[in-house]
Amino acid sequence: MKIKIDSKIITILVVLCAISCAFIYTAVDGSSQYDNPKGFVIKQLVFYVLGIVLMIVIAQTDVSKLKTIAWGMYIAIFIALLFLIVAPESIAKPVNEAKSWYQIPFIGTFQPSEFMKFAILILTAHIIVKHNDKYPVKSIKMDFLLIGKILLLVLPPTLVVYKQPDTGMIMLYFAMIFPMLFFSKISKKILLPILAIPVTIISVIAYIYIFMNDFFQDNILSKLSPHQQSRIRGWLDPFSYGDSAYQTKQGILAIGSGKELGKGFGGNDVYTPEKHTDFIFANIAEEIGFIGASFVLIILFLLIFRFVQISLSNKSQFTTLLTAGIISLLAFQIFQNVGMTMGVLPVTGVTLPFLSYGGSSLLSNMMLIGIMAAIQNENGDYMFTTKDD
């Protein structure tokens, strides 16, 4: 038997794995906080291998049966999220004021909210398809009913994740859901106002910040948690708020100091916290400069472009919704991570897909690629299949 693999996606993953391991090594090696860079690289390679196994298993699963897996995962992950609230610090130690991870001996950390993406994606698509089959005649009332069903699915884990707090993950959830709503055949009379709400809120807050700064500080910013206040202040004025904006400021300095061609491999002399995880792009830009960092972004773009090509062959609304959610999620995650690293967007703790160090993020994203592979199988353009030699 012979296994046929989509060479484009596999090639991209191999390149991303090599880039990830290389810059995780230099980031850790250049930090006095860690003393075993090879250990980080080995763990990242192990996560990649496990991720590929998960990807192949999901790829061989019938797309229509994914919802069965998703319901079980949704319940299990939601329970894990709830337990984080009361879990002792011996197994769930807060990191940067956020209690989002379980500490597992000999393995590392496990972040349940990362895997909730998989469940929410599939179940949202399933709810939309099932609703449209049950109510083929569209009406405003039925559209609001569909939105209500999706909110009942998404709000419980979202509220728990917000409690951690992890606003970055919440942004990823909704970045995934909004395009799915667009392809759900909901009336644009409802959809456009829904999409306009966050834009309006952001615009009003920006106006208040610029022209009514005292009111902004006393009545808006003060209502947030200290952790969120710190990150917003650091984003708005990183060079005035030394402590709260230290990570943002150092990221900007690291990227800027790399200039066009960088300082060379291992030449990362600007200390930046989390340079091997959330801020790995700063390490990449510092060492190989604007040109090298642009190449890395092109590689990520090619992966998303391949997903778009796969989506063009979709034969059902269910697969269309899944591909829309995955493409939007990964594109937004890249945009948010690079933006926060450069100081353009607030720091949210969102990782750079397939490059940042961390098992939960990498494994969850590899599972999403597994869904794309399963969709490719259903479309008849096989990513994974078996055939006689």
Side-chain angles (χ1 to χ4, degrees):
M1 303 297 284
K2 183 179 180 180
I3 298 178
K4 182 181 178 182
I5 301 177
D6 186 316
S7 59
K8 294 179 181 178
I9 290 181
I10 296 302
T11 300
I12 292 172
L13 286 177
V14 170
V15 172
L16 290 175
C17 178
I19 294 172
S20 175
C21 291
F23 288 100
I24 286 172
Y25 181 87
T26 59
V28 176
D29 189 46
S31 172
S32 59
Q33 187 177 357
Y34 307 103
D35 58 2
N36 184 21
K38 291 182 180 179
F40 283 82
V41 173
I42 291 173
K43 283 187 177 181
Q44 187 75 348
L45 286 172
V46 170
F47 291 142
Y48 254 102
V49 172
L50 291 175
I52 290 173
V53 172
L54 281 173
M55 178 181 69
I56 294 175
V57 170
I58 295 171
Q60 294 175 329
T61 304
D62 191 301
V63 176
S64 62
K65 295 180 180 178
L66 287 174
K67 57 182 177 290
T68 304
I69 302 172
W71 274 120
M73 177 174 286
Y74 179 90
I75 295 171
I77 295 299
F78 185 62
I79 292 173
L81 287 171
L82 287 175
F83 186 68
L84 269 175
I85 299 174
V86 297
E89 290 193 8
S90 58
I91 61 171
K93 184 180 179 181
V95 179
N96 295 328
E97 300 181 36
K99 195 176 181 182
S100 304
W101 300 266
Y102 287 101
Q103 277 73 39
I104 303 176
F106 308 110
I107 296 177
T109 58
F110 168 69
Q111 186 176 3
S113 57
E114 280 283 356
F115 297 93
M116 184 58 78
K117 295 184 300 187
F118 180 90
I120 289 177
L121 170 75
I122 296 172
L123 295 179
T124 300
H126 172 60
I127 289 171
I128 292 172
V129 172
K130 189 175 180 180
H131 176 89
N132 288 340
D133 289 342
K134 186 175 181 179
Y135 304 104
V137 179
K138 302 300 174 186
S139 67
I140 299 297
K141 180 180 179 181
M142 291 302 103
D143 286 347
F144 275 115
L145 178 61
L146 175 57
I147 293 173
K149 291 177 181 178
I150 294 173
L151 288 177
L152 284 175
L153 173 78
V154 177
L155 282 183
T158 296
L159 292 174
V160 178
V161 171
Y162 180 78
K163 179 71 175 176
Q164 292 178 351
D166 189 354
T167 51
M169 190 60 63
I170 295 172
M171 292 168 62
L172 294 183
Y173 291 164
F174 284 97
M176 179 174 62
I177 291 171
F178 278 151
M180 299 175 75
L181 286 174
F182 180 82
F183 287 102
S184 68
K185 301 180 182 178
I186 287 180
S187 171
K188 301 303 182 289
K189 294 179 181 179
I190 297 176
L191 189 59
L192 291 179
I194 290 175
L195 295 176
I197 289 174
V199 175
T200 302
I201 292 174
I202 292 172
S203 300
V204 171
I205 292 176
Y207 177 87
I208 294 174
Y209 170 75
I210 295 171
F211 298 103
M212 304 167 62
N213 193 264
D214 290 340
F215 181 87
F216 173 83
Q217 297 286 343
D218 298 336
N219 297 279
I220 297 178
L221 195 60
S222 63
K223 304 299 182 183
L224 302 176
S225 70
H227 176 67
Q228 292 168 329
Q229 290 182 41
S230 174
R231 288 193 165 183
I232 291 176
R233 286 195 175 99
W235 166 51
L236 294 173
D237 195 355
F239 289 91
S240 295
Y241 293 95
D243 294 336
S244 61
Y246 182 74
Q247 190 176 30
T248 301
K249 182 175 66 176
Q250 294 302 106
I252 295 172
L253 292 174
I255 293 173
S257 65
K259 299 182 179 180
E260 293 88 356
L261 299 176
K263 302 174 181 176
F265 188 68
N268 54 351
D269 53 9
V270 177
Y271 172 74
T272 306
E274 311 299 335
K275 211 171 188 178
H276 62 303
T277 55
D278 300 352
F279 272 66
I280 194 169
F281 186 76
N283 189 47
I284 293 171
E286 183 180 3
E287 294 188 15
I288 58 178
F290 174 81
I291 295 176
S294 298
F295 170 77
V296 172
L297 292 179
I298 289 172
I299 297 298
L300 290 168
F301 167 78
L302 290 175
L303 180 64
I304 293 176
F305 179 69
R306 182 60 183 141
F307 290 167
V308 173
Q309 290 180 314
I310 294 172
S311 71
L312 296 177
S313 301
N314 284 334
K315 298 178 180 179
S316 68
Q317 186 186 33
F318 185 59
T319 55
T320 296
L321 293 168
L322 291 176
T323 53
I326 292 171
I327 292 168
S328 177
L329 170 65
L330 292 177
F332 178 83
Q333 190 170 352
I334 294 167
F335 176 78
Q336 170 62 32
N337 179 274
V338 174
M340 76 177 191
T341 305
M342 298 173 64
V344 177
L345 297 172
V347 176
T348 58
V350 171
T351 58
L352 188 57
F354 308 105
L355 293 175
S356 293
Y357 174 80
S360 296
S361 175
L362 180 56
L363 292 177
S364 65
N365 286 330
M366 294 294 276
M367 290 168 69
L368 296 180
I369 295 186
I371 295 176
M372 293 300 302
I375 292 171
Q376 195 173 21
N377 279 332
E378 183 173 283
N379 291 344
D381 181 15
Y382 299 103
M383 172 180 273
F384 296 98
T385 188
T386 57
K387 54 174 64 177
D388 293 329
D389 289 324

